[in-house]
Amino acid sequence: MKNGDHLFLVDGSGYIFRAYHALPPLTRKSDGLPVGAVSGFCNMLWKLLKDARNTDVGVVPTHFAVIFDYSSKTFRNEIYPEYKANRSAPPEDLIPQFGLIRQATKAFNLPCIEKEGYEADDLIATYARLAVEAGGDVTIISSDKDLMQLVNHKVSMYDGMKDKQISVPEVIEKWGVPPEKMIDLQSLTGDSTDNIPGIPGIGPKTAAQLLEEYGDLDALLARASEIKQQKRRENIIAFSDQARLSRELVTLKNDTPIDVALDALVLEPQDGPRLIGFLKAMEFTSLTRRVAETTETDAALIEPVPVETQWGADAHGPDLQTGVSAEATPEEVMGGAAAMPATPVAPEGPENTPAVLARSRAEAATAEKIDTTAYVCIRDLATLQAWIDEAVENGIVAFDTETSSLFPMEAELIGLSLALAPGRAAYVPLAHKSGAGDLLGGGMLENQIPLDQALAALKPMLEDRSVLKIAQNMKFDWLLMHRYGIDITPFDDTMLISYALDAGPGGHGMDSLSERWLGHKTIHYKDVAGSGKSAVSFDMVDLERATAYAGEDADVTLRLWRVLKPRLVAEGAVSVYERLERPLVTVLARMEARGISVDRQILSRLSGELAQSAAAIEDEIYQLAGERFNIGSPKQLGDILFGRMGFPGGSKTKTGQWSTSAQVLEDLAAAGHELPRKIVDWRQLTKLKSTYTDALPGYINQETGRVHTCYAMAATSTGRLSSSDPNLQNIPIRTAEGRKIRTAFIASPGNKLISADYSQIELRVLAHVADIPQLKQAFEDGVDIHAMTASEMFNVPVKDMPSEVRRRAKAINFGIIYGISAFGLANQLSIPREEAGQYIRTYFERFPGIRDYMDATKAFAREHGYVETIFGRRAHYPEIRSSNPQMRAFNERAAINAPIQGSAADIIRRAMIRMDGALAEAELSARMLLQVHDELVFEVSDDEVDKTISVVRHVMENAAMPAVSLSVPLQVDARAAQNWDEAH
DNA sequence: GTCCGACCGTA
DNA sequence: TTACGGTCGGACG
């Protein structure tokens, strides 16, 4: 920058709020996305830049930047915690616009500048100083009085909305003091919107008058006793410290660290097609036309670029509080009734609606052939950098990693692939071995970019908030890269998009999605790495095959995204994806990374005890049976029990074998037979040993010494998570023997485990969605729900109720949630089917609303093929129209269960998404470790137990709010102890 | 070596 | 009667 150059600095954050309130609301036609502030912003930028190229106008920028606030916490909060504390969260329809305006800035080919810990105003002050020192002039595009202190003969302001210049005379005219006294003036008056205290009773007029008389703030405070007006004098003396503090707060910091040099702000030529791509996506038709004319671009040839919208707490805007009021989307606020159909946006004509776009994308995707030999293998840094640059330019890139393991906490990076456009993908090998002839696997292959250099090159792009990273199952890649010091943001996940759209039968793996949506059979991992004993690690795969395989993964992921993402809007699944799926990815990844401490000694001792007990029982079994056989083989066991020994066979399995289930064996035992009892006991012991005490130690991670389960986000049809490797959602609890295994899950020294679980969450959800007065009242009163049910059904008082009566009512309550049948209930309670049927009839008489709800849900599912949770998550049951009565009945029961189980699953997801923020807000160091459907397990320092329990309980009990206001209270029981058994 | 059914642990 | 994942045995190729 040199003499005569002119820097324009746009106060982006200030503009967003001002435009939002000043301009009429505007939404994108096709899907209702709020874009009023974005529209105003684009029009203003266009006007500024158009004038800039018109040399008839006096002021021509040579340098240009748009500056944003990054977060609400800045150094000012250190000085004064109350700074801006009175700000409420931004309006919900403004939230997605923060990100869009940053994207707009990029589309205008302008630098987008922000820095964590600093306000936009400080960055503006810093750049203004640098520019003036370099001999340039500065125009700040803002009308914020906080910036007026910067005005001088080289620096002026411009109000883009009023088309008004603000120089030294305008400041004096408006405030009665010259710009250099604005700081003192604001220190005296304070500022209610920023919660800056100032001195009570002093407004701008008085302040200006005082400064005129005494010169500056210090002189005024020093000579305060001379002031004639009594009240004013007393206040200034009493609140002088407050004025000095205010001065610190309002004084802009003009020496903040900056990441982008002044000279890098030089104004680049407009990129017409890029800008038009964005404007078309926003559906700003008239501005699109004007830009097309001016840049001589044929807008018809340009596709709208996909834009990233962030609704939640990830969205960066100034003063975005973590409070719940900020989080409801319009879609959520309007939704909320269970099993109500979300209205898909109906295509009303040939215009470009989301539904039309989604359909055309789907058609195009199957038509395009995929050539896996066309991918590039990148082996030098310069080429990688060129791809990265293009990704940044593009704003979108599909990303995939190849690793040494499917366990993300053990996996090491072997290579990664990128895709910039369909068919344009590259593989970057990073740790392939030469493999030639050497039994030890050979040395490292030549000509690979060193891992640290590749990661250093990729990190800025992977963390660049203007570049959308797309992956299939991002949690894996996120956790892996997190371990390499990179936190990917922002991202989309094709697996989760598919799940939000199409949960039901059928998975969401890349291979099946590719086949379904692209009509393309992917290369299977087995085909490149082999399988079983002959399988090799991916680092031994030759680069040609590795490139085809890995490149295809990225290519297919990108293509899937292009097909699936538009469907979210078209089919009303945006809210589920944005509020329940995407934000959970990093929450779960961090939980997996933390792991939980497991005591190896306890497990090993238990294994020994179990082995001994099992061996003893084994001998008795052989004695009783009169021969040795494999007790673990249901086939052999059935032959002996029901064949040779002639026990009365209970039921047969579907393969025609005698069933040897615990139920059958228990019945025989109850009839006085000794052997079946022994078998049941033996089964329990060996199950505990093989599944838990023997297996768990093998999952203890070498480096962390902890067990890191893996959560599957898209494995169930209802919205529940599942856990595997190891499954920590089925650790025993029902029997005393089993519970011992829980004692091996421990808190690290100085810590406790907290277990917090929802009490009867599914029955509470049922009471809410089916609107059952007695159930709601019972939960309101906090009474024993099963006893209440029994009392209603059997006309017995709750007091001194026989336990068997309560047990039956409990079975019925669960039966209701599961889509009850007389057959199932009879089985569960070991009573005749007729009796079970009578129970159900009685239940429906007492609670007619339940029958209505079940009938309505079934009818809804038959009509639409899916059901919905209270948050709009859909579960599809296409087979509910099957002509097979068994199949149909099964799907009906599942359809009744899904909204209940799924709503409960959604509630705990919401709690989990908010939990880390709430704990941080309360300055608690507790770590969330595990989720078991209605339970969360935390590890917390001994001295923070009580506070943590109260925060956790608050978050969990209010998790449905504000999207859904449940008509039943949620109750959370929480306890802390040294191990999981005692905590639960 | 791979797949499936039976069984059983959890919510 | 709902939703999962792990282990085992045994049949298949």
Side-chain angles (χ1 to χ4, degrees):
Chain A
M1 188 158 209
K2 57 185 188 301
N3 262 335
D5 281 354
H6 199 124
L7 169 65
F8 273 37
L9 293 166
V10 177
D11 174 17
S13 293
Y15 189 86
I16 294 173
F17 280 94
R18 194 133 173 267
Y20 176 80
H21 290 108
L23 299 171
L26 175 70
T27 54
R28 186 160 68 177
K29 256 207 195 73
S30 59
D31 62 352
L33 180 73
V35 290
V38 186
S39 163
F41 182 78
C42 289
N43 281 304
M44 178 203 61
L45 276 190
W46 179 246
K47 187 164 170 291
L48 283 174
L49 292 165
K50 184 165 60 73
D51 290 347
R53 287 171 179 77
N54 178 353
T55 45
D56 293 344
V57 176
V59 180
V60 182
T62 56
H63 295 64
F64 207 113
V66 185
I67 321 278
F68 294 96
D69 290 333
Y70 185 87
S71 59
S72 56
K73 291 272 175 286
T74 69
F75 70 92
R76 291 187 176 83
N77 296 97
E78 308 269 321
I79 311 176
Y80 183 56
E82 301 307 305
Y83 179 64
K84 291 197 176 181
N86 58 342
R87 289 255 174 128
S88 55
E92 65 213 13
D93 52 336
L94 182 54
I95 290 170
Q97 301 193 59
F98 295 127
L100 290 172
I101 283 178
R102 286 175 171 81
Q103 290 176 67
T105 306
K106 291 254 178 190
F108 271 95
N109 210 13
L110 296 172
C112 184
I113 299 205
E114 53 201 315
K115 186 146 188 77
E116 188 160 16
Y118 295 96
E119 295 184 52
D121 290 355
D122 299 312
L123 294 168
I124 289 171
T126 301
Y127 280 110
R129 176 181 60 83
L130 292 171
V132 170
E133 284 171 5
D137 293 281
V138 178
T139 298
I140 299 165
I141 316 301
S142 172
S143 55
D144 191 338
K145 72 167 186 309
D146 297 348
L147 286 162
M148 290 185 183
Q149 59 182 271
L150 300 175
V151 170
N152 56 43
H153 70 288
K154 300 281 277 180
V155 179
S156 62
M157 292 172 64
Y158 174 75
D159 180 342
M161 296 177 74
K162 289 190 184 157
D163 189 21
K164 188 174 162 231
Q165 188 83 14
I166 305 167
S167 304
V168 176
E170 285 81 9
V171 174
I172 295 172
E173 186 190 338
K174 176 123 207 263
W175 296 99
V177 296
E180 61 270 21
K181 291 196 181 173
M182 278 302 291
I183 293 174
D184 288 352
L185 180 126
Q186 289 176 271
S187 310
L188 288 167
T189 60
D191 187 334
S192 60
T193 60
D194 291 346
N195 211 26
I196 289 171
I199 290 180
I202 296 191
K205 289 282 181 282
T206 312
Q209 185 203 318
L210 289 167
L211 289 172
E212 171 74 23
E213 190 174 340
Y214 293 90
D216 62 27
L217 181 66
D218 286 324
L220 169 66
L221 296 180
R223 297 166 51 198
S225 56
E226 301 169 20
I227 293 169
K228 297 178 198 74
Q229 298 90 335
Q230 186 198 352
K231 192 77 204 155
R232 187 175 294 173
R233 184 175 63 243
E234 285 169 6
N235 271 341
I236 291 177
I237 293 168
F239 294 98
S240 60
D241 281 348
Q242 204 163 289
R244 290 192 190 92
L245 168 70
S246 300
R247 180 165 56 186
E248 276 194 80
L249 295 174
V250 301
T251 304
L252 298 181
K253 195 168 163 53
N254 68 3
D255 58 351
T256 66
I258 54 169
D259 300 328
V260 183
L262 180 64
D263 288 330
L265 305 185
V266 66
L267 184 61
E268 301 284 351
Q270 197 63 259
D271 180 346
R274 181 182 183 183
L275 180 54
I276 288 167
F278 176 82
L279 296 172
K280 282 184 97 170
M282 290 289 99
E283 300 168 15
F284 298 155
T285 42
S286 62
L287 187 56
T288 303
R289 196 185 60 245
R290 291 209 299 276
V291 172
E293 282 167 11
T294 310
T295 60
E296 295 176 346
T297 312
D298 186 351
L301 298 178
I302 296 165
E303 277 237 28
V305 296
V307 291
E308 163 80 350
T309 48
Q310 292 188 313
W311 289 90
D314 275 2
H316 270 286
D319 308 297
L320 188 64
Q321 308 287 327
T322 50
V324 288
S325 59
E327 62 102 52
T329 67
E331 197 178 344
E332 267 196 340
V333 172
M334 292 185 306
M340 284 286 288
T343 322
V345 181
E348 290 168 15
E351 68 268 35
N352 188 19
T353 67
V356 169
L357 175 65
R359 206 176 313 126
S360 72
R361 284 275 178 84
E363 280 163 18
T366 44
E368 293 158 6
K369 293 291 281 183
I370 294 180
D371 177 6
T372 60
T373 64
Y375 306 131
V376 180
C377 185
I378 297 178
R379 308 188 63 172
D380 65 278
L381 196 55
T383 309
L384 175 61
Q385 191 60 54
W387 278 70
I388 292 170
D389 291 345
E390 199 175 329
V392 172
E393 181 71 15
N394 219 4
I396 289 176
V397 61
F399 173 78
D400 187 39
T401 55
E402 302 304 332
T403 67
S404 57
S405 166
L406 280 173
F407 302 154
M409 281 301 291
E410 285 175 14
E412 285 175 51
L413 195 56
I414 288 171
L416 51 88
S417 48
L418 304 171
L420 295 169
R424 256 196 94 220
Y427 179 59
V428 190
L430 296 169
H432 280 255
K433 306 247 175 71
S434 67
D438 189 332
L439 278 177
L440 295 171
M444 199 66 105
L445 198 66
E446 301 279 299
N447 296 325
Q448 297 182 89
I449 306 170
L451 184 67
D452 54 345
Q453 289 181 25
L455 292 177
L458 284 157
K459 183 177 163 86
M461 182 274 281
L462 292 174
E463 295 184 343
D464 186 335
R465 295 193 298 106
S466 70
V467 183
L468 178 66
K469 274 69 64 174
I470 304 163
Q472 167 74 14
N473 189 15
M474 180 58 93
K475 181 162 64 62
F476 181 91
D477 304 277
W478 194 92
L479 179 48
L480 182 83
M481 297 312 287
H482 179 67
R483 289 175 44 229
Y484 285 92
I486 295 175
D487 285 357
I488 299 174
T489 187
F491 57 77
D492 258 339
D493 186 331
T494 45
M495 182 182 79
L496 297 181
I497 296 173
S498 169
Y499 186 57
L501 290 164
D502 299 320
H508 307 272
M510 200 190 72
D511 293 354
S512 70
L513 292 181
S514 174
E515 189 131 14
R516 199 179 318 158
W517 295 105
L518 310 178
H520 171 77
K521 278 198 168 54
T522 50
I523 307 169
H524 291 269
Y525 186 80
K526 289 177 194 164
D527 300 334
V528 291
S531 67
K533 218 172 182 177
S534 57
V536 295
S537 168
F538 198 80
D539 55 11
M540 299 299 288
V541 175
D542 71 81
L543 289 188
E544 191 177 327
R545 280 141 65 92
T547 300
Y549 174 81
E552 183 191 57
D553 275 358
D555 187 16
V556 165
T557 300
L558 183 65
R559 290 174 195 249
L560 285 172
W561 182 83
R562 288 171 52 85
V563 175
L564 296 175
K565 184 82 195 249
R567 288 184 56 210
L568 286 176
V569 175
E571 297 175 33
V574 172
S575 157
V576 169
Y577 175 66
E578 294 292 346
R579 327 247 18 147
L580 299 172
E581 299 296 338
R582 202 171 57 166
L584 196 59
V585 170
T586 55
V587 173
L588 289 176
R590 288 180 211 278
M591 287 168 67
E592 293 177 16
R594 289 172 196 135
I596 186 166
S597 189
V598 172
D599 188 324
R600 208 184 272 275
Q601 271 72 42
I602 293 179
L603 292 176
S604 146
R605 184 163 44 75
L606 281 173
S607 273
E609 290 170 15
L610 290 168
Q612 281 206 315
S613 313
I617 298 177
E618 229 161 274
D619 283 341
E620 293 173 24
I621 288 172
Y622 296 147
Q623 289 273 314
L624 290 163
E627 64 175 302
R628 298 176 73 84
F629 65 103
N630 188 340
I631 309 169
S633 162
K635 185 168 155 13
Q636 292 181 33
L637 178 65
D639 286 346
I640 285 176
L641 289 177
F642 307 111
R644 205 178 53 69
M645 299 186 71
F647 283 118
S651 57
K652 294 268 187 85
T653 67
K654 61 181 163 189
T655 54
Q657 292 279 330
W658 285 112
S659 167
T660 64
S661 69
Q663 179 70 62
V664 169
L665 299 178
E666 292 281 4
D667 289 348
L668 289 172
H673 301 295
E674 208 178 339
L675 180 55
R677 168 92 270 148
K678 298 285 175 202
I679 306 280
V680 170
D681 293 344
W682 181 88
R683 282 225 183 118
Q684 196 205 2
L685 299 177
T686 53
K687 168 89 175 179
L688 294 177
K689 183 170 185 292
S690 66
T691 307
Y692 302 105
T693 60
D694 286 353
L696 278 172
Y699 286 102
I700 297 174
N701 184 288
Q702 290 289 324
E703 284 163 41
T704 67
R706 293 164 73 101
V707 172
H708 306 264
T709 184
C710 179
Y711 289 101
M713 291 182 66
T716 73
S717 50
T718 56
R720 273 194 180 178
L721 303 178
S722 76
S723 153
S724 65
D725 310 302
N727 180 354
L728 295 186
Q729 291 179 327
N730 71 344
I731 303 302
I733 193 166
R734 291 179 190 180
T735 66
E737 277 301 309
R739 288 188 85 113
K740 290 182 184 168
I741 291 163
R742 289 204 169 214
T743 65
F745 290 80
I746 54 174
S748 52
N751 290 270
K752 292 274 183 291
L753 291 183
I754 291 176
S755 162
D757 68 297
Y758 285 107
S759 158
Q760 307 288 6
I761 188 169
E762 293 191 355
L763 279 173
R764 288 171 197 262
V765 168
L766 174 69
H768 170 80
V769 297
D771 196 20
I772 310 300
Q774 303 102 303
L775 287 184
K776 292 204 279 193
Q777 190 61 50
F779 283 124
E780 200 65 55
D781 298 343
V783 306
D784 178 338
I785 197 70
H786 301 311
M788 187 283 287
T789 307
S791 171
E792 284 265 338
M793 280 188 65
F794 305 118
N795 290 315
V796 293
V798 168
K799 194 165 177 296
D800 299 326
M801 175 179 290
S803 65
E804 177 58 22
V805 173
R806 184 180 178 280
R807 188 181 78 90
R808 293 192 175 197
K810 182 176 174 180
I812 295 167
N813 276 332
F814 279 102
I816 294 297
I817 292 170
Y818 298 154
I820 202 156
S821 80
F823 181 85
L825 182 64
N827 248 351
Q828 177 70 25
L829 288 175
S830 300
I831 56 174
R833 191 140 53 146
E834 293 70 31
E835 200 180 342
Q838 187 52 52
Y839 283 176
I840 295 170
R841 277 192 293 280
T842 308
Y843 187 96
F844 283 153
E845 278 168 28
R846 301 290 176 184
F847 306 99
I850 301 265
R851 167 176 269 166
D852 296 344
Y853 168 75
M854 291 172 77
D855 288 344
T857 306
K858 274 190 277 190
F860 182 93
R862 252 195 305 278
E863 186 185 344
H864 297 96
Y866 64 82
V867 288
E868 282 190 348
T869 68
I870 53 178
F871 301 98
R873 175 192 298 281
R874 290 181 191 170
H876 295 263
Y877 294 97
E879 300 278 34
I880 201 162
R881 300 186 185 115
S882 166
S883 56
N884 175 342
Q886 267 210 321
M887 175 90 85
R888 202 169 54 235
F890 174 77
N891 277 274
E892 285 174 355
R893 291 194 296 271
I896 287 167
N897 174 251
I900 302 167
Q901 188 184 116
S903 297
D906 289 347
I907 288 171
I908 198 168
R909 277 179 182 242
R910 291 170 62 92
M912 294 170 75
I913 288 163
R914 291 174 184 171
M915 193 61 74
D916 283 344
L919 291 169
E921 183 75 19
E923 297 183 334
L924 293 167
S925 63
R927 284 86 56 202
M928 186 159 54
L929 305 185
L930 303 178
Q931 190 248 41
V932 192
H933 308 308
D934 65 358
E935 174 191 11
L936 294 174
V937 177
F938 300 82
E939 188 170 36
V940 52
S941 155
D942 284 330
D943 55 339
E944 292 181 0
V945 164
D946 294 341
K947 279 186 179 171
T948 301
I949 285 180
S950 103
V951 170
V952 164
R953 176 174 286 135
H954 183 263
V955 171
M956 289 176 76
E957 290 184 343
N958 293 286
M961 296 285 283
V964 173
S965 184
L966 290 175
S967 54
V968 173
L970 292 179
Q971 188 194 313
V972 169
D973 301 319
R975 216 160 7 149
Q978 196 55 48
N979 66 60
W980 194 8
D981 181 39
E982 290 165 40
H984 188 78

